[in-house]
Amino acid sequence: MTDPTSQKFYELNLAERLAHLSRESGVPLEELEVLSGAGGLNADQADHMVENAVGVFSLPLGIARNFLVNGREVLVPMAVEEPSVIAGASFMAKLVRLGGGFTAEASAPEMIGQLQVLDVTDFEGARSRLEEHRAELLSMASAVDPMLMRFGGGARDLHVRLIERSEIGPFLVVHLILDVRDAMGANAINTALERIAPRVAEISGGRVHLRILSNLADRRLARAVCTIPLEALAFEGYSAEKVRDGILDAWAFAEADPYRAATHNKGIMNGVDAVVLASGNDWRAVEAGAHAYAAQSGRYTSLSIWRKDAQGNLCGELEMPMAVGIVGGATRVHPAAQVGLKLMKVTTADELAEIIVSVGLAQNLAALRALATEGIQRGHMGLHARQIAAAAGAKGDEIEKLAQQLVHEKTIRAERAEEILKEWRKQAYD
Ligand code: MEV
């Protein structure tokens, strides 16, 4: 692989980028070409995925560059409609690699499933009977998916909780912990829950109501850390110390205030969701887990932590639930997701989780660095102006020319774009 820090990938045209990507990644061009056009999924494939399908809905797919995760170069596919996200992640990854790249880890892929048990009369008796039957219930749950057992997964534990509710009275909740290996695991856990539910009812003497996984996957966490050498933070008129301290002050705001934390975490999810989506995973599940985890202390706060080390370098950390898989579901049937996984060269769900959390941290840094210095609008302007120009009806070379004019006038508005276009076309006609 050539040195990614010297690439000017963004200067190539679409066809050249695909060819370059193919050479760089070793993924054959014919396979990458599924990304062109409708984004790899056709209406017939969509028809097998959802009910009442009438077609497909596409999003831009870009490649974030410069990522070094656990010492490995990674090309990161990101599906996202927002300008500046991919550029921001790539640029921050470039700064992070000056400090050795991202160090990331994922805990065991253990999902939590919940059974709500109502109408229990003897709570302590039910709890101790369920605990006595733990081994039997775990082996019942494991037997549901022999394939999972073959790959080293299976049921790991059972916890019994009592929840007090004045409206309906207290009820029991049984948590089933299932190691789902390289799957996202929703199907595995929901099937296992449905299988053990009747036996749980018998043992507890209650009635099993809900049987569903929890998206607060706090036993399946991914964590990334990075260090940016202080001197790498300086740019234009901003000293390195000013940028670093500005980022730390911005983080303190998110840490203290839920209004700010929601936006701060949204910035993290810009990166996380884009990779979750490009790998065919369930981004709503990851979103739900992220925000519930951010509120786990009882107060919603920042998912990331930023601090300075003894040498004054900037250090970042992001830990969050990461229920993603590389087998099953859309990861298997969506051709673009298959290409995405190949580009990242991931062989386990853990590796995918480690990349995703690293991208989330990079994205957070991009937002904080911009917000703490020149603001985010400057970075957004170019692409936003191109979107407005295209929407106003500009075609071909006109799009770039009109975008530049809008940026120059500092008026990136649809009415102004239409007005300029009308003037140009009138001049050409006259
Ligand atoms: C915009 O999509 C994301 C940001 O608002 C994140 C943040 O404020 O940290 C820029």
Side-chain angles (χ1 to χ4, degrees):
M1 191 185 282
T2 46
D3 175 9
T5 55
S6 68
Q7 299 294 327
K8 291 237 169 47
F9 191 69
Y10 64 89
E11 288 174 346
L12 306 175
N13 67 32
L14 278 165
E16 288 168 345
R17 281 188 208 132
L18 273 191
H20 184 103
L21 191 59
S22 169
R23 284 194 300 278
E24 202 177 16
S25 64
V27 178
L29 192 57
E30 312 81 76
E31 288 186 34
L32 292 181
E33 273 162 356
V34 305
L35 303 174
S36 308
L41 193 70
N42 61 40
D44 285 336
Q45 287 160 327
D47 197 25
H48 297 299
M49 292 173 78
V50 299
E51 306 73 31
N52 299 350
V54 291
V56 292
F57 179 94
S58 311
L59 281 176
L61 183 86
I63 304 293
R65 307 181 59 78
N66 308 323
F67 273 85
L68 191 62
V69 181
N70 293 335
R72 190 169 77 80
E73 301 279 358
V74 191
L75 293 162
V76 188
M78 298 179 77
V80 62
E81 85 298 347
E82 187 173 324
S84 303
V85 168
I86 298 168
S90 301
F91 186 35
M92 293 308 112
K94 197 168 175 173
L95 298 188
V96 169
R97 66 191 294 141
L98 298 172
F102 295 91
T103 304
E105 61 189 358
S107 56
E110 291 180 356
M111 295 295 286
I112 301 170
Q114 298 190 295
L115 295 174
Q116 182 189 22
V117 192
L118 301 172
D119 305 338
V120 174
T121 45
D122 165 21
F123 288 103
E124 279 322 306
R127 186 201 294 270
S128 57
R129 285 194 302 279
L130 284 166
E131 277 163 5
E132 275 161 32
H133 286 83
R134 172 183 276 116
E136 176 200 336
L137 291 166
L138 293 185
S139 75
M140 259 180 104
S142 289
V144 171
D145 194 338
M147 195 72 156
L148 194 59
M149 293 281 279
R150 268 221 339 255
F151 285 104
R156 294 283 185 260
D157 210 350
L158 202 77
H159 302 143
V160 184
R161 302 166 53 208
L162 177 67
I163 295 188
E164 305 275 359
R165 286 301 293 188
S166 51
E167 306 89 342
I168 60 170
F171 54 87
L172 277 188
V173 175
V174 177
H175 279 197
L176 171 67
I177 314 299
L178 188 73
D179 183 324
V180 296
R181 296 285 95 196
D182 288 324
M184 184 274 184
N187 278 331
I189 190 99
N190 291 336
T191 312
L193 289 169
E194 291 189 8
R195 183 68 62 86
I196 66 169
R199 185 73 184 119
V200 166
E202 261 169 34
I203 297 168
S204 64
R207 169 172 66 89
V208 176
H209 190 44
L210 299 199
R211 299 153 295 172
I212 188 73
L213 93 169
S214 168
N215 286 123
L216 176 50
D218 62 358
R219 299 177 65 100
R220 195 179 190 181
L221 299 173
R223 181 169 173 274
V225 296
C226 67
T227 298
I228 301 103
L230 176 62
E231 61 281 5
L233 289 169
F235 74 103
E236 294 176 7
Y238 300 95
S239 72
E241 287 79 3
K242 197 170 165 61
V243 177
R244 180 199 60 201
D245 295 344
I247 290 171
L248 295 180
D249 290 345
W251 173 74
F253 185 9
E255 205 279 326
D257 175 36
Y259 286 93
R260 173 58 204 151
T263 324
H264 175 100
N265 291 341
K266 189 272 183 183
I268 292 173
M269 300 312 285
N270 276 343
V272 168
D273 285 343
V275 191
V276 171
L277 199 49
S279 61
N281 275 287
D282 180 346
W283 78 98
R284 287 90 56 213
V286 176
E287 277 280 340
H291 297 291
Y293 193 64
Q296 237 188 353
S297 68
R299 178 174 68 82
Y300 185 88
T301 185
S302 164
L303 283 166
S304 64
I305 298 172
W306 291 96
R307 58 177 183 86
K308 61 180 173 184
D309 67 12
Q311 290 73 43
N313 302 313
L314 180 66
C315 305
E317 178 183 335
L318 174 63
E319 182 183 81
M320 57 185 290
M322 196 55 71
V324 291
I326 59 165
V327 294
T331 53
R332 186 183 291 266
V333 294
H334 199 303
Q338 283 291 307
V339 171
L341 292 173
K342 270 198 178 173
L343 282 173
M344 287 185 276
K345 300 191 189 326
V346 287
T347 54
T348 64
D350 286 0
E351 279 172 18
L352 176 60
E354 288 162 5
I355 294 170
I356 296 173
V357 76
S358 301
V359 176
L361 188 56
Q363 208 71 60
N364 185 217
L365 177 61
L368 296 186
R369 176 182 171 277
L371 289 167
T373 56
E374 59 191 9
I376 60 159
Q377 286 312 94
R378 190 178 137 190
H380 265 73
M381 258 196 244
L383 269 178
H384 179 53
R386 273 190 247 162
Q387 281 177 358
I388 295 280
K395 299 269 179 289
D397 293 348
E398 265 179 355
I399 298 179
E400 191 55 42
K401 196 171 143 209
L402 180 53
Q404 281 178 12
Q405 180 65 26
L406 294 170
V407 171
H408 174 74
E409 293 182 11
K410 295 198 170 64
T411 315
I412 306 179
R413 300 173 57 84
E415 313 83 80
R416 181 61 191 141
E418 283 163 19
E419 212 173 88
I420 298 173
L421 211 51
K422 222 184 261 168
E423 278 166 29
W424 285 353
R425 292 193 173 153
K426 185 163 174 293
Q427 280 164 16
Y429 187 73
D430 293 344

